[in-house]
Amino acid sequence: MTRARVLHAQLHLLDRQVVHDRDGRLVCKVDDLELDFDDQGRPYVTAILMGPLALGPRMGGVLGRLMEGAARLLGAQAPPRIPMADVSRVASAVHVGGDLERPALERWVRTRLIEPIPGARHEAE
Amino acid sequence: MRKAWPAVLAGVLVVAGCSSPAWNDRDYELKAASSAEAVGSTVEVVRLAVGGDGRLTRPYLKVLLTNAAEQVQGVNDQFGGVQPPTERAEQLGEQLLKVTEQAEKVVSGLLMEVRRDRVKDPSGAVRELAQLGESLRRFQDDHE
Amino acid sequence: MRLSDLLGSPVRDSSGEVVGQVADVRLVQDGPLLRQVQHAFRVAGLIVVARHTGRLFGYERGPAIKGPWLVKVLVRALHHNTRYVPWEQVDRIDGADILLRVPKRDLAHVSDLYSERIS
Amino acid sequence: MKKFLGITLGILTAIGGFVDIGDLVANALVGSRFGMSLAWVVLLGVVGICVFAEMSGRIAAVSGRAVFDLVRERLGPRAGLANLGASFFILVMTVAAEIGGAALALELATGLNYLLCVPAVAFAAWLVMWRVRFETLERVFGLAGLALVIFVVALWQLGPDWGQLWHQASHPAPPQDEGVPTYLYYAIALLGGAMTPYEVFFFSSGGVEEKWTRRDLSVSRANVLIGFPLGGLLSLAIAACAATVLLPAHVQVDSLDQMVLPVALGAGQVGLGLVILGVFAATFGATLEVALSSGYSLSQYFGWQWGKFVRPREAARFHATILVVMVVATALILTTIDPIMVTEYSLVFSAAALPLTYLPVLMIANDRDYMQDKVNGIFSNTLGTIFMILLVAVSIAAIPLMLATKAGQ
């Protein structure tokens, strides 16, 4: 058996770009990681967390609270998560598979602001 | 149309610390010297442009003269607004304003000519501007 | 729990003396199976810095980042007594503090992680 | 020809750095006050930006990550946010100034008040960013900006005293009537202009837009080695023209119309036409470069989908950022603040933020996890370290010098 892969969480995972495998779409940053304990009481990584509710607490201070508060005001309750089982490769970016819902802000900006402008659905010329 | 410009320039000069009240003679003298420098710089630009009249387009010359006229006017308003602390300073200020107000008149006169058609007597204007520039520079050198 | 709950937490040894704070968490991919396809990344240990300020920028990993020389020397000098604490040496997490079951002098230096591997 | 078109990204990037509206006037001002005695700063700036742009281009080609990805990844969310805040503020101010600059160029061509041109310029720039392909954009405005080569021609026609220009350039000290702090202040402004962070934001993101891979490393290098020295050459030619015509007349340049005067005197009406075209193309190109950079940096910090390689609806937050920046910048410039003042201040502020951008680039260019076998060699690392020390010194000195000299008065 090959030696198990070793990563440093802060250095190799946190704040890296998350890229979708299928179409190369940029998804988010690794804003935080979710941990759980196995049956021997040792923590392991279960999911990537994203969005203001994950980044805000890490940022701390007034700005962090502001970020969290704004997200909660808009109806978010928990940060969106990507299960680690969907992670296919960790390199200069974290590659993930599976079906992902687009973030609320992206959807809102898209339908309210960008799509009404002519040409939003076309390739550039 | 460009009424805002002198105000902007004045604002900039305030920020740059030029329009604070003059505390003493020396301070006033330095303000006079830097005003002479600013007007002198503009006068020389106009001299070069008018001297090369045949090579410049009219819209360009018009823009250049408009900006120059506003600049000189701005400096004059600015310096004229500073209270001279003593009588000696007052004389100095009047001496300078005589030259800079002359410069303002010449530049705006040239602007009128260009707006109408073109500079009527380029070589005469160049001579006059050169004289103004010379006396402003001498003033600056004497009082810096 | 989140990873950020561990990062920056103060670490105390068995006698209650402050060792430093968590700068990074070492993960090894030998945890429980996730959806029967791959192993989870398990927390293998903590990298603990004595100093409150500054990041390690990856210069604790011997072979992966070598230069530039001056930056490496500066970062290493700033964090010269950085320690590695295997998870087995962690006793419990008490509020924000992480308590160890060994005394400070028994802790390994972070550079041992890599000298070990080379031999 | 195709090979030549491949380097327009470097040319456009360099134009935005060396001859955008603030630098056009700053170079002429420096030439008219200090002659060529600050030429060494431009040369230093060319070397510096080449070193770091090469690294960021190489990182983009090998790993697909652009500069602000690296800033967030290596500095973490807090220091990254500090850099983002400072950079974004500077970017918005600079977009405003560039729009103003392009409008001023139109004013010089038509005599129409520049404020009337501002909305049209801003709308045209936004439309280009919304609809035009990245390659087309970079080619059209990169090449049109080359009209500024007329400064080199004009310098020739002015028949300057080359010996004296050389004498000034080879004696790097302030002239008699200028103080050392003022001299250093302008040195920092020129270096800040040459090495503005948005050049590497734009250059590395542009590499990703063009889908560079390892095979394009030589393209990236050619872009760097041709584009930036060309920008430096233009900037020196502008200073030399001013030193030839305006320095002897004791003129201190402070506006665009004064800055193009030497060309008009040296190369006549055709020259005047070309220089106005060049100034317009350079400032319009810089508008695009800076506005896109604002979208790139914000999106890369938060991990949003960005880029013109996808349809606008796929990168909604990126395009929304650009739209908002353009609206705010237009409103700002319509308040009649002087665009040239704006960039001169922002140059100095950006000088203060330089290390926060270039340090992560230098670190990641050494990281084998990113670069595999393409990590920095001794040459890049030595130069990179020297410039890092220099930039730290500059960033500490920038703001005190600005206050001490009342912004170079």
Side-chain angles (χ1 to χ4, degrees), chain B residues 1-2 4-5 8 12 15-16 18 37 41 44-45 47-49 52 54-57 59-60 63-64 67 71 137, chain D residues 107-111 113-114 245-246 249-252 254 257-258 260-261 264-266 268-269 272 336 341 406 409:
Chain B
M1 223 164 42
R2 274 176 160 263
W5 266 99
V8 171
V12 166
V15 172
C18 288
E37 186 180 18
S41 165
E44 290 292 338
V45 168
R47 181 179 65 80
L48 289 170
R55 322 198 71 175
L56 308 180
T57 61
Y60 170 70
V63 173
L64 187 135
N67 288 344
Q71 235 162 16
R137 199 145 54 240
Chain D
E107 181 185 65
L108 291 184
T110 61
N113 185 297
Y114 82 103
V245 176
L246 304 174
H250 301 269
V251 172
Q252 304 203 345
D254 60 1
D257 53 284
Q258 299 179 356
V260 302
L261 185 60
L265 295 175
Q269 296 212 352
L272 183 60
T336 74
M341 283 307 271
K406 293 180 186 162
Q409 291 275 316

Side-chain angles (χ1 to χ4, degrees), chain D residues 366-381:
Chain D
N366 277 289
D367 189 337
R368 282 181 190 278
D369 293 338
Y370 271 80
M371 306 299 292
Q372 290 135 30
D373 56 325
K374 298 293 181 193
V375 288
N376 272 359
I378 279 197
F379 182 70
S380 294
N381 268 344

Side-chain angles (χ1 to χ4, degrees), chain D residues 235-304:
Chain D
S235 138
L236 287 178
I238 293 170
C241 278
T244 305
V245 176
L246 304 174
L247 177 69
H250 301 269
V251 172
Q252 304 203 345
V253 178
D254 60 1
S255 61
L256 199 62
D257 53 284
Q258 299 179 356
M259 174 256 163
V260 302
L261 185 60
V263 178
L265 295 175
Q269 296 212 352
V270 179
L272 183 60
L274 273 174
V275 76
I276 292 174
L277 171 72
V279 168
F280 178 77
T283 47
F284 195 84
T287 309
L288 303 178
E289 173 172 347
V290 182
L292 283 170
S293 294
S294 70
Y296 291 145
S297 52
L298 194 71
S299 304
Q300 286 161 12
Y301 178 86
F302 285 109
W304 301 342

